[in-house]
Amino acid sequence: MLTIHRVHAVRRAADGAPVPGHAVVVSGDRIEAIGPYEELYERYGERARVREWDGVLTPGRHEPDGTAHLEAAYHPDPREAGDLGTAPLTGDALTALGMTETRWGASARRGVQRLLATGTTSIAGPFTHPAVRTAVARSGLRGGPAPRPLAPGAPADFAVFTEDGRCLVTVLGGRLVHRGR
């Protein structure tokens, strides 16, 4: 299915200038086209769904220290907030928890969700813990350096940010993996 992501502007590269009035067409897990919304709607509108976002579409954020974020921190379950708080636990607090495989897996999944909620589309490892590797692989986050520029044929990995920097949407491989409020 084709989807047109209509936004205030599209920034093709992380350091590029936003181009007002542009939109992105996604087909499956790839970017089909980028250009002025009116032209894209004329070309694809009859067979595409249109999603409108109140922000700027970009390649997303890169987490350069994914190992520290996911393997050296415990992301508490909301049910543990009364005892552990909501911030990630590291160092002695992490050691004191007595981490099990189940706990590592759940923490890694919550950590990945926190990253997706900030518009992260790529992450650097290496990840040595099996539960963390699994959580990253299942999420669709790309490994390696900064996200690729947006271009036709490239993976449909991007985020939409409001003017104040809040992440509205994170898309990985054409799938909506985070939708802010």
Side-chain angles (χ1 to χ4, degrees):
M1 167 169 240
L2 290 171
T3 303
I4 301 173
H5 293 271
R6 184 178 190 185
V7 291
H8 294 295
V10 173
R11 180 175 292 152
R12 288 184 178 231
D15 59 353
V19 181
H22 276 215
V24 173
V25 178
V26 173
S27 177
D29 66 349
R30 299 283 172 190
I31 294 174
E32 176 81 14
I34 301 172
Y37 170 74
E38 290 76 19
E39 291 177 19
L40 296 176
Y41 188 79
E42 186 176 310
R43 183 172 171 194
Y44 298 100
E46 273 190 32
R47 53 196 172 105
R49 95 177 131 195
V50 177
R51 291 189 177 255
E52 295 193 34
W53 310 111
D54 191 20
V56 175
L57 191 147
T58 76
R61 292 182 57 250
H62 173 67
E63 174 53 57
D65 198 359
T67 303
H69 186 79
L70 298 176
E71 289 193 349
Y74 175 71
H75 299 270
D77 185 293
R79 295 168 292 188
E80 300 172 308
D83 295 329
L84 302 176
T86 57
L89 303 175
T90 59
D92 292 339
L94 175 64
T95 304
L97 283 176
M99 297 295 286
T100 63
E101 287 301 308
T102 301
R103 202 167 214 181
W104 268 122
S107 173
R109 288 188 298 277
R110 288 188 297 272
V112 164
Q113 286 303 311
R114 285 182 182 191
L115 289 171
L116 295 175
T118 65
T120 300
T121 57
S122 71
I123 189 168
F127 302 108
T128 58
H129 197 282
V132 173
R133 280 197 311 268
T134 299
V136 170
R138 287 182 178 170
S139 73
L141 282 169
R142 306 265 180 200
R148 298 181 197 179
L150 303 176
D157 298 342
F158 54 83
V160 178
F161 295 95
T162 61
E163 191 174 294
D164 65 3
R166 188 172 42 91
C167 179
L168 291 175
V169 175
T170 306
V171 173
L172 294 176
R175 293 178 316 129
L176 192 88
V177 295
H178 166 75
R179 185 174 186 168
R181 293 177 202 136

